[in-house]
DNA sequence: CAAGGGGATTGGATCGATCCAATCGCCTAT
DNA sequence: ATAGGCGATTGGATCGATCCAATCCCCTTG
């Protein structure tokens, strides 16, 4: 009873995992034939293949990862840095992306190695170490920034990589996937306009951040398309709570009937200010957020938000990575994914505000 | 300019990473001497060591991970499963733990391999595969449950592992670290009692969950120590928002002046109900949460919560793991860590309620 | 002066899977 | 009947680092 039969085969406690030679012996074939059974089954006569496969099954054989890496000169492992978030505060979006990345890498038959980093510089240092150890074949980047040194470095070394987050700089290296933030706020703004809102404020970040400008643009162009005013309806704030509230107060003073916030956190600040003034989010002033973080559904009223297709993004990153490994010289690929608006009560009761 | 000099040494584009033989040649020594320089430097004469070290530096040499694993029969890699959270909803606590684990593993010179799983059964299946591939030496478990099949399986195979989360069952296998939930709610309850509260309600989960009972116990014993009533002051709910609100209503009907919630999510539900009744969290009824999730600091008023020492927990897991690898037959070790109360405005203005 | 001894250094064998080139077996075409 | 051809199968060499045992060097001791 101590000696469970594992899913894939027999195992006597204390016995070393089966090797290729063991399988060959049992199947009465040469070692190379076992290797072929795994890597080029079409070379084997069906009956030989069956015999080898049976032996593999019976012994619960799996190729020794290190031995395989050594000979093949590839690790089938993807590296991914975990940013040491300063305040110990975790990033829900990246966390979901990470899970999705683990799925995607796994589905593609690759291992995922994660390691901590403090800064882009240190991240590059770790890239270098891992590459010299030949512990990874490629990297997936996240938290891309404006003048991100990682792309250039990896490009210079011809290391396959894919980034989640576009390269904002003029000169861009590398494959990337990103979420179309503008399309997200466009959907949110459109949703509000369709409900009859005319004075729709934007609660965002200071000018200059790539993500911020991208998302803001979706609001601006939708407002213009509908012939709605934008002047004075854009308030900026760093992401601290108190500042967010201050910015929200400014917007409400301009008598907006709806607010498009560029993050759920900002939307939460907006909720606070509404309540502080005796107004009810949703009923009196509509609010939308961004990221569809866990709190969105928990808030009262539940917050309409824009959900990023992170599973798809991770899959696409891995797909690009594999393509890059196969065709190292192919021109860099980019892909924007459309996010999805999740309508909830914070933007719902249109009848209460439809007098726009 | 395309040819940056990496932190650790020279690299001509297209050149394969240096091997031990390269270093030996350059340092005018045998291969084994290079190996000794890395693994048993005390065997070398200082001047030889210096020569080898210099060559290593100049070539930017790092041992090939796979070759080393193959020969040493150990991967210096820790495996860790990422649970495929059903609703795509991520778990902030586990996310922080994961970051801390990456740090701890790294600090101990180990790699961290993550892989996705759907269930404990599938997780065991993946353990088995990784072990047969000899891709990992050990595992760190999270999300432990009552009758967790993983401990027994790993124990049966004599695989080193450490769990974050105690083994609740009668028969317990394996090393573990856990956070002392009772001590956490005890601190919260004590904090409220010290502020003069006498009717302190508990907002928790249905009986039977290990974590829930543990945390509830801290409240119960603190109340009893102070001679305060507990009957009727404990409300249970599954973790859905609406149910949480319902349970909070029950508590408030019993005229509590403070609520100890067993999670920040539950505390949030409590906030909602207070507002629904025109009461202000903190000012009218004190509230504490658990986990110190990102929203705690963002709420208005900021939520007093119990912070779990996840960095310490991860460090301890790794420490136990290494000890287990060194001494496989040592009796299993367990460790409870004390959490820390983070007092914020939701439990502060004591003067307003001190008439208890 | 030769033998002894211990620290420093070395080459050969090995870990397990894959690459390569060679061989084997069998069927067809001459 | 034999050469030719092709599909199937095989052993030997190799990837890079480490284990092991042997050797080397230099200094002490009988």
């Amino acid at each position: 009873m101590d000696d469970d039969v594992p899913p894939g085969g027999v195992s006597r406690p204390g016995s070393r995992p089966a090797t290729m030679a063991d399988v060959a012996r049992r199947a009465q074939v040469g070692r190379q034939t076992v290797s072929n059974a795994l890597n080029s089954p079409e070379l084997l006569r069906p009956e030989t293949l069956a015999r080898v496969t049976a032996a593999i099954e019976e012994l619960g054989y799996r190729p020794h990862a290190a031995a395989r890496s050594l000979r093949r000169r590839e690790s089938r492992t993807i590296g991914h840095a975990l940013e040491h978030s300063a305040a110990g505060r975790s990033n829900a979006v990246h966390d979901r992306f990470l899970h999705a990345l683990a799925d995607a890498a796994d589905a593609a038959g690759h291992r995922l190695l994660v390691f901590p980093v403090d800064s882009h510089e240190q991240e590059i240092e770790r890239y270098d170490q891992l590459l010299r150890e030949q512990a990874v074949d490629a990297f997936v980047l996240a938290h891309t920034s404006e003048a991100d040194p990682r792309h250039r470095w990896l490009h210079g070394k011809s290391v396959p990589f894919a980034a989640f987050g576009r390269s904002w700089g003029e000169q861009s290296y590398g494959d990337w996937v990103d979420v179309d933030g503008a399309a997200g706020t466009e959907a949110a703004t459109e949703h509000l306009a369709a409900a009859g809102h005319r004075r729709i404020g934007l609660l965002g970040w200071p000018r200059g951040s790539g993500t911020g400008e991208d998302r803001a643009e979706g609001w601006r162009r939708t407002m213009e398309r509908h012939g709605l005013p934008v002047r004075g309806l854009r308030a900026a704030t760093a992401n601290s709570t108190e500042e967010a509230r201050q910015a929200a107060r400014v917007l409400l003073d301009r008598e907006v009937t709806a607010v498009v916030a560029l993050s759920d956190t900002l939307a939460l600040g907006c909720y606070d200010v509404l309540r502080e003034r005796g107004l009810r989010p949703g009923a009196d002033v509509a609010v939308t957020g961004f990221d569809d973080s866990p709190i969105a559904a928990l808030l009262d009223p539940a917050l309409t938000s824009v959900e990023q297709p992170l599973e798809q993004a991770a899959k696409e990153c891995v797909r690009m990575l594999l393509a890059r490994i196969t065709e190292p010289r192919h021109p860099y690929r980019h892909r924007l994914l459309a996010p999805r608006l999740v309508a909830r009560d914070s933007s719902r009761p249109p009848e209460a505000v439809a007098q726009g």
Side-chain angles (χ1 to χ4, degrees), chain A:
Chain A
M1 51 172 57
D2 220 338
D3 190 354
D4 288 0
V5 174
V10 179
S11 143
R12 295 167 300 275
S15 69
R16 300 233 161 271
T19 158
M20 227 174 60
D22 298 332
V23 176
R25 218 172 350 254
R26 184 176 188 100
Q28 311 259 43
V29 296
R31 323 157 175 203
Q32 181 62 22
T33 303
V34 179
S35 176
N36 286 337
L38 290 169
N39 302 313
S40 324
E42 73 282 2
L43 291 182
L44 300 199
R45 244 175 29 214
E47 76 180 52
T48 311
L49 178 57
R51 216 163 66 244
V52 175
T53 307
I56 288 176
E57 196 70 23
E58 288 159 19
L59 295 175
Y61 168 75
R62 292 212 119 208
H64 190 295
R68 182 175 264 196
S69 296
L70 175 59
R71 193 58 180 93
R72 283 195 171 159
R73 321 189 120 270
E74 68 172 18
S75 59
R76 289 205 169 246
T77 300
I78 297 170
H80 180 66
L82 298 187
E83 271 210 1
H84 206 80
S85 33
R89 167 193 297 177
S90 64
N91 179 333
V93 171
H94 178 259
D95 181 41
R96 251 185 70 210
F97 177 74
L98 178 61
H99 275 74
L101 182 59
D103 271 355
D106 191 63
H110 280 248
R111 279 178 281 273
L112 183 62
L113 191 70
V114 298
F115 50 94
V117 297
D118 287 331
S119 63
H120 287 336
E121 287 66 36
Q122 200 210 343
E123 188 168 341
I124 289 177
E125 163 98 18
R126 299 304 313 271
Y127 285 174
D128 196 40
Q129 293 176 359
L130 289 167
L131 289 170
R132 293 203 306 256
E133 293 177 349
Q134 301 186 51
V136 300
D137 296 335
F139 294 99
V140 168
L141 279 58
H143 303 294
T144 56
S145 60
E146 307 284 312
D148 201 312
R150 297 174 295 173
H151 300 71
R152 203 183 133 68
W153 190 88
L154 291 166
H155 167 85
K157 282 212 160 349
S158 310
V159 177
F161 71 100
F164 172 47
R166 66 198 88 177
S167 309
W168 300 102
E170 39 194 62
Q171 222 182 355
S172 103
Y173 298 114
D175 301 311
W176 57 253
V177 180
D178 203 356
V179 172
D180 190 343
T185 42
E186 174 163 356
T189 311
E190 189 66 54
H191 169 70
L192 294 168
H197 292 280
R198 292 188 49 80
R199 292 189 63 80
I200 305 175
L202 180 79
L203 185 53
W205 297 300
R207 300 201 181 253
S209 111
T211 306
E213 291 306 315
D214 177 35
R215 294 186 184 176
E217 169 60 15
W219 165 78
R220 198 197 52 72
R221 74 186 183 211
T222 307
M223 295 296 277
E224 293 202 340
R225 175 151 31 81
H226 285 272
L228 300 176
V230 298
R231 283 206 77 88
L233 294 187
R234 176 172 177 176
T237 162
N239 226 342
S240 100
T241 322
E242 192 39 46
E243 274 190 64
R245 288 182 199 129
Q246 193 49 45
R249 285 183 199 109
V250 171
L251 273 189
L252 293 174
D253 287 342
R254 305 268 165 84
E255 299 186 331
V256 298
T257 65
V259 173
V260 171
L262 295 196
S263 80
D264 289 352
T265 302
L266 292 173
L268 177 57
C270 192
Y271 270 40
D272 293 336
V273 171
L274 286 172
R275 290 200 185 103
E276 161 186 307
R277 302 188 170 191
L279 297 171
R280 289 165 305 160
D284 298 324
V285 173
V287 180
T288 68
F290 209 110
D291 290 346
D292 195 32
S293 57
I295 55 163
L298 294 176
L299 289 177
D300 183 28
L303 176 66
T304 293
S305 194
V306 177
E307 187 202 355
Q308 302 200 35
L310 300 179
E311 288 72 20
Q312 203 186 338
K315 238 180 253 175
E316 195 61 36
C317 274
V318 171
R319 184 213 303 283
M320 282 185 179
L321 217 47
L322 300 186
R324 173 68 43 207
I325 291 172
T326 311
E327 308 176 85
R329 321 186 153 272
H330 190 284
Y332 284 134
R333 277 171 272 245
H334 310 310
R335 177 111 190 259
L336 271 187
L337 302 177
R340 186 175 68 93
L341 184 73
V342 181
R344 298 204 184 87
D345 291 345
S346 74
S347 65
R348 216 159 254 153
E351 63 278 6
V353 280
Q355 87 281 37

